[in-house]
Amino acid sequence: MSGRSLNLLGLLLVGVVGLAFMFLTPRLAELDTVLDLTVYIIMAVLALSLGLIWGYGGILCFGQSAFFGLGAYAYAIAMFNIGESTVPVLLAIILPAAFAALLGYFMFYGRISDVYLGVITLTVTLILFNSVNSTAGPNFHIGAARLGGFNGIPGIPPLNLPGDKNAVIDLEGMFYLSTASLLLTYFGLRLLLASQFGRIIVGIRENERRAELIGYDPRAYKLATFTIGGALAGFAGCLFANWGNFVSPTIFGLAQSAQIIIWVIVGGRGTLIGPIVGCIGIQWLSAALGANQPSGGSDLWSKIFANAPLILGSILIAFVLLVPKGLVPTLAEIVLSLFRRGRRSEQRGLEPQQAE
Amino acid sequence: MATPLLQTHDLSMNFGGVRAVRNVNFTLAEGELRCLIGPNGAGKSTFFKMLTGQLAPSQGQVLFRGHDISRAYAHQIARLGIGIKTQVPSVFDGLNVRENIWLAASRIGHRDEARRLVDEMLERIGLTKAASRMVGQLAHGQRQWVELGLVLATDPKLILLDEPAAGMTHDEVFKTAELVREINRTKALIVVEHDMQFIRMIAKQVTVFNQGSVLLEDNVENIMRDPRVRDIYLGKQAAA
Amino acid sequence: MTLVVQGLCTGYGRIPILNGVDFTVDEGEFVGILGHNGMGKTTLLKALMGYLPATGGRVHFAGDDITALEPHRRARLGLGYVPQGREIFPGLTVHDNLRMGCIERRDAGEDEIIANVLEEFPRLKPLLNRIGGALSGGEQQLLAVARCLCGGPRLVLLDEPTEGIQPSIIEEIVETLSRLRVANRRLTMILVEQNLDFIAQLSQRILVIQKGRITQEVRPDALRDANLIGEFVGIAT
């Protein structure tokens, strides 16, 4: 089997599994489960946004939650002012994208080194957290929307079908919408990465200097990648604000930013399915561990098992040390090597490979 | 006289207090093949970096086909038609050989044309069979060929080669010399090299750098005989 | 017998590079290794030094089986390695670079060792307080060799010392190494080179490596014959 047909098979598999999941889950699962799954899937869109810019663009952004939060807030504020969701959704995409473009312009065209890029994105996120956090008073409002400071914005009106403000999307509808969004994002990014643009950004990740010397402007390509990542994160934020009808500044917090990075590390950089698997897996695990907490016994072991951050932390460290490439690339390697071994036993005595 | 392909005026580069390149006036004609020699640290690599936009000169000018490129970005200069093969092969290690060449070819041609260019280039650098090998896993010499393929695939007017024969075996040196002569049929080249045997195989005119400036410019035979060159660079070899 | 290599195999991950290398080197011998690019010359040195695990075969050094030893243990036994690309400490001064080379020495004082080594490398003497990274490529190569000698090795593995070096310094390296050979009859050296003159001037025997095996052994004077060379390295010229 050639690489190309393996690739197509993978795409087909993702499509079939995704669609089956989308249509079967609401029929087979309780509403509670469907609700939980919805937020996992929304976060997976967010994970994909970092999967693109870090895994393929090589830009380690500690501030993906900034764009996520901006998207959520933009949707909430616009919704209170407009009442119909078409424009708010667009704003929730455009605003974070514009913000990413502006930030990216200064970082990439200013030739900021990778380490400082991390510091800057993290700082911007924390600034947003602190600024929004301190807008609790009634004097902080944008049009009809009160910002609410650390209390957040409750009761955000839900999405409606475009143009008809009364055709509100219900909870099950949110599940369909989120899953469809994730699938569209996944396939959209696959297309993007298969295009000339996608191959060039991977080239820049591999060797920026060489890409420049054959005539590509790395600054422009990185800026475009970063902006697309910002738009995606903003869109995820919009879905998230809908899911709980609530948004608060913790969305900009350090914990949120760190989580996104952990999802991508665990799932695997340089793949798209990895961040999705990492994101959904970790969220599911945190929820399962969190559920242990109240019933936890008094002996040491049950205390340890009830401590979700401790266990998640250990998992992360184990991953970084033992599976540094992440789950999906490592599994793929194992499968491929089994496949190859199967073939090699058929044709012994290969020429030794050349290398110095 | 026709306009030269490349010209520098008083080109200088200071690092802190050190003047790595000082007042270099250098002219290269259309289609010329020039060798650059000089002791390690004479400023040859810095000179190349200024020609390709990797370093902005502290002073002076670079003119390429009439454009002043002294302050241009590396990618702009590449698009104007200067390609460089660096001393330590600079390639896309995480991609396979075909993808490497494709990245270069797709800048000048689209889809089918790029694909055709890639196939041609793979044939030319002798790596058709290794097309799907990861470049990071190739031997040093093969990575040199990949880099050369990358550069050629962007179809530059002028190619800078920084020690193309370094780390190559005797017969590979011959092969490289042959290839350089072949490339020179359509393109101008500047070659930095220490291997005098290699230089004798390819060059007519040689420019000698020493301590950041041009010491002299002459044909190979005279350079080899020059006592100054012998003192600073060749040692006893020139006498042999 | 100083070094005995039997059936040595190694590779990177699943890619095999050496497929059973056999050779011996006697004390005091200078042996060259010649081969086409990609035949495993550098890999052989790395495997001898322990940077790559042996997947098969044995390596004995001065009677000890060192097949599974870590690189620093091999260094203590007297193996010195000057890698391709020199790898000096660019942020340290020349003197500090040399001091790093003396760290494992117990038999003599640092100053004494450095003074002795510098006798052989006069070019480094005025440069002692210079930062390593500010030296020219040729000077860095001399420094790398000098640093290796500070460790008092019995067997030196030298990988492409002439790459990117101007001709006059190559001559200096040849002269220095020849002097060392005369001064210390017990010093053993394995050198990997593409520069035929260099390898012919310094080696007593030359081993030809092809596809991960030693296929031939030749005398240095044979390298004067261009046709023979083509045959040795596997490509007709």
Side-chain angles (χ1 to χ4, degrees):
Chain A
M1 204 170 341
S2 74
R4 200 187 179 88
S5 51
L6 263 178
N7 206 0
L8 283 175
L9 192 74
L11 272 180
L12 197 69
L13 199 69
V14 173
V16 169
V17 170
L19 286 175
F21 174 79
M22 176 165 154
F23 287 110
L24 293 180
T25 308
R27 284 173 179 74
L28 299 175
E30 301 283 323
L31 187 62
D32 279 4
T33 316
V34 173
L35 263 178
D36 284 347
L37 287 173
T38 308
V39 75
Y40 297 172
I41 284 161
I42 292 170
M43 291 304 187
V45 176
L46 178 59
L48 273 182
S49 76
L50 187 69
L52 170 72
I53 67 171
W54 187 25
Y56 290 91
I59 307 161
L60 175 50
C61 174
F62 279 98
Q64 212 54 16
S65 58
F67 309 126
F68 182 62
L70 271 181
Y73 267 93
Y75 172 77
I77 292 164
M79 213 44 200
F80 278 110
N81 284 302
I82 297 170
E84 199 276 329
S85 68
T86 312
V87 174
V89 170
L90 290 177
L91 277 177
I93 297 170
I94 293 166
L95 211 71
F99 184 64
L102 189 72
L103 189 63
Y105 176 79
F106 287 112
M107 292 193 306
F108 302 127
Y109 282 74
R111 302 250 175 194
I112 305 267
S113 72
D114 290 349
V115 178
Y116 285 100
L117 207 134
V119 174
I120 289 173
T121 49
L122 184 60
T123 312
V124 165
T125 314
L126 295 180
I127 290 173
L128 280 174
F129 173 74
N130 280 319
S131 334
V132 180
N133 211 25
S134 51
T135 57
N139 45 336
F140 293 104
H141 63 91
I142 296 174
R146 275 196 42 192
L147 295 178
F150 49 82
N151 296 314
I153 305 177
I156 302 169
L159 283 164
N160 52 257
L161 295 177
D164 183 359
K165 93 195 251 188
N166 294 318
V168 169
I169 294 175
D170 62 3
L171 292 177
E172 207 178 292
M174 265 313 285
F175 174 81
Y176 287 124
L177 179 65
S178 306
T179 314
S181 302
L182 179 62
L183 286 173
L184 277 177
T185 306
Y186 175 81
F187 286 107
L189 289 179
R190 284 294 293 252
L191 272 179
L192 182 78
L193 290 167
S195 73
Q196 189 187 26
F197 174 85
R199 295 162 78 170
I200 291 168
I201 63 169
V202 172
I204 291 170
R205 176 194 73 189
E206 285 298 313
N207 188 342
E208 186 166 337
R209 180 40 64 76
R210 182 33 91 191
E212 219 176 348
L213 290 175
I214 56 178
Y216 299 112
D217 185 354
R219 303 168 305 169
Y221 283 93
K222 282 174 146 182
L223 180 60
T225 313
F226 196 63
T227 306
I228 296 170
L232 266 178
F235 177 60
C238 164
L239 293 175
F240 181 74
N242 256 287
W243 173 77
N245 302 119
F246 174 72
V247 55
S248 81
T250 49
I251 202 170
F252 293 116
L254 196 56
Q256 177 70 32
S257 295
Q259 249 194 344
I260 310 171
I261 292 173
I262 292 171
W263 296 334
V264 177
I265 290 178
V266 169
R269 265 171 299 157
T271 67
L272 288 178
I273 215 71
I276 298 177
V277 170
C279 170
I280 294 178
I282 291 220
Q283 288 189 97
W284 173 80
L285 196 65
S286 332
L289 291 169
N292 271 338
Q293 223 148 11
S295 63
S298 55
D299 65 301
L300 186 66
W301 283 111
S302 46
K303 273 186 189 152
I304 288 175
F305 276 113
N307 191 337
L310 183 73
I311 295 189
L312 285 177
S314 316
I315 290 176
L316 178 67
I317 291 172
F319 260 93
V320 171
L321 293 177
L322 304 174
V323 201
K325 285 182 183 164
L327 213 53
V328 170
T330 308
L331 283 177
E333 262 173 33
I334 292 171
V335 170
L336 268 181
S337 77
L338 288 176
F339 181 66
R340 285 216 189 95
R341 191 168 301 167
R343 271 206 321 198
R344 193 164 295 167
S345 54
E346 290 161 25
Q347 34 168 300
R348 278 275 165 202
L350 279 176
E351 287 276 288
Q353 307 263 17
Q354 294 200 340
E356 190 65 352
Chain B
M1 195 183 125
T3 354
L5 182 68
L6 179 85
Q7 247 183 322
T8 72
H9 296 300
D10 282 331
L11 197 64
S12 304
M13 185 71 217
N14 306 331
F15 295 114
V18 185
R19 294 185 71 192
V21 172
R22 18 184 137 181
N23 307 91
V24 169
N25 291 294
F26 179 91
T27 305
L28 188 81
E30 201 85 51
E32 196 184 335
L33 193 170
R34 180 78 62 87
C35 279
L36 233 82
I37 63 168
N40 300 111
K44 303 177 301 276
S45 293
T46 307
F47 181 63
F48 268 13
K49 282 187 178 162
M50 286 192 282
L51 297 186
T52 48
Q54 299 178 70
L55 280 175
S58 314
Q59 189 198 311
Q61 254 191 332
V62 184
L63 295 175
F64 178 64
R65 298 160 75 198
H67 303 269
D68 182 350
I69 56 166
S70 333
R71 297 275 175 272
Y73 291 110
H75 68 270
Q76 294 169 324
I77 293 176
R79 280 167 187 263
L80 276 175
I82 300 184
I84 180 168
K85 200 201 93 46
T86 49
Q87 192 179 345
V88 179
S90 170
V91 286
F92 305 103
D93 275 337
L95 306 179
N96 68 30
V97 175
R98 174 177 290 280
E99 288 166 333
N100 265 265
I101 308 291
W102 183 88
L103 274 171
S106 81
R107 190 183 50 77
I108 59 164
H110 285 285
R111 289 167 182 283
D112 294 344
E113 198 190 339
R115 217 168 295 149
R116 187 182 54 77
L117 273 169
V118 172
D119 288 334
E120 263 177 39
M121 195 53 64
L122 287 173
E123 198 63 43
R124 197 162 163 200
I125 58 174
L127 288 176
T128 305
K129 275 191 208 142
S132 53
R133 291 277 310 273
M134 208 60 100
V135 169
Q137 293 176 351
L138 297 180
H140 179 75
Q142 292 171 313
R143 293 171 74 233
Q144 300 260 43
W145 289 109
V146 172
E147 196 186 22
L148 196 58
L150 264 172
V151 174
L152 287 173
T154 59
D155 195 26
K157 303 272 180 304
L158 165 64
I159 298 183
L160 314 180
L161 298 177
D162 201 347
E163 300 204 23
M168 291 203 169
T169 42
H170 195 71
D171 49 294
E172 282 174 319
V173 172
F174 273 110
K175 229 166 84 186
T176 310
E178 221 165 84
L179 185 73
V180 166
R181 281 195 302 257
E182 187 215 310
I183 294 170
N184 186 230
R185 269 182 234 141
T186 52
K187 300 172 194 313
L189 288 130
I190 308 176
V191 183
V192 164
E193 188 49 71
H194 286 307
D195 187 337
M196 289 311 288
Q197 200 186 0
F198 180 75
I199 287 174
R200 262 188 253 169
M201 285 187 261
I202 60 169
K204 295 171 194 82
Q205 279 299 103
V206 176
T207 302
V208 184
F209 266 59
N210 190 36
Q211 301 189 339
S213 30
V214 175
L215 180 75
L216 77 154
E217 228 167 67
D218 211 328
N219 63 43
V220 195
E221 290 74 28
N222 290 341
I223 293 284
M224 296 287 287
R225 264 185 247 123
D226 195 290
R228 287 171 295 173
V229 179
R230 199 180 298 181
D231 284 350
I232 59 155
Y233 185 67
L234 293 173
K236 279 167 280 172
Q237 205 190 57
Chain C
M1 203 75 82
T2 291
L3 183 76
V4 182
V5 180
Q6 293 165 306
L8 182 63
C9 299
T10 190
Y12 299 102
R14 283 188 307 275
I15 304 173
I17 310 290
L18 299 185
N19 308 291
V21 168
D22 297 292
F23 68 98
T24 58
V25 180
D26 282 325
E27 190 168 50
E29 257 195 314
F30 276 36
V31 173
I33 296 193
L34 188 67
H36 209 264
N37 263 315
M39 292 302 159
K41 302 184 300 291
T42 297
T43 307
L44 173 60
L45 292 194
K46 283 188 183 164
L48 291 179
M49 202 56 211
Y51 289 114
L52 287 172
T55 51
R58 305 243 65 102
V59 182
H60 288 266
F61 177 62
D64 297 318
D65 184 342
I66 61 165
T67 315
L69 284 192
E70 288 155 359
H72 69 273
R73 296 197 177 279
R74 299 190 197 210
R76 279 184 204 160
L77 284 176
L79 262 76
Y81 177 44
V82 182
Q84 189 173 14
R86 316 190 268 273
E87 300 184 13
I88 57 152
F89 300 102
L92 300 183
T93 61
V94 170
H95 189 237
D96 286 341
N97 264 283
L98 294 174
R99 288 177 62 198
M100 294 299 286
C102 298
I103 277 177
E104 288 290 338
R105 286 290 284 272
R106 300 282 178 269
D107 54 328
E110 192 177 274
D111 293 338
E112 188 192 331
I113 298 168
I114 293 178
N116 281 339
V117 168
L118 283 177
E119 283 307 308
E120 303 296 341
F121 295 86
R123 191 188 274 262
L124 292 178
K125 276 188 189 167
L127 303 175
L128 280 179
N129 295 317
R130 212 67 95 73
I131 296 290
L135 301 185
S136 74
E139 290 162 348
Q140 287 187 13
Q141 186 65 58
L142 289 173
L143 175 58
V145 176
R147 183 184 61 186
C148 175
L149 292 175
C150 281
R154 291 193 276 170
L155 168 63
V156 175
L157 310 173
L158 201 53
D159 195 357
E160 299 238 5
T162 70
E163 186 176 343
I165 307 291
Q166 73 208 56
S168 57
I169 292 202
I170 294 178
E171 278 176 18
E172 206 172 315
I173 296 175
V174 171
E175 282 164 15
T176 308
L177 294 178
S178 313
R179 266 204 314 276
L180 283 169
R181 184 168 60 184
V182 175
N184 180 359
R185 293 255 163 229
R186 303 181 64 184
L187 183 68
T188 314
M189 188 168 294
I190 297 179
L191 54 104
V192 158
E193 249 309 331
Q194 316 267 18
N195 183 325
L196 294 178
D197 286 336
F198 186 88
I199 209 166
Q201 284 180 67
L202 280 171
S203 325
Q204 289 144 314
R205 285 191 292 146
I206 292 159
L207 305 174
V208 177
I209 188 167
Q210 261 176 295
K211 297 199 174 173
R213 284 194 180 87
I214 304 284
T215 52
Q216 216 168 349
E217 184 183 318
V218 293
R219 296 278 137 202
D221 45 0
L223 293 188
R224 310 260 178 245
D225 186 337
N227 288 326
L228 272 178
I229 294 157
E231 221 173 278
F232 294 151
V233 294
I235 285 192
T237 41

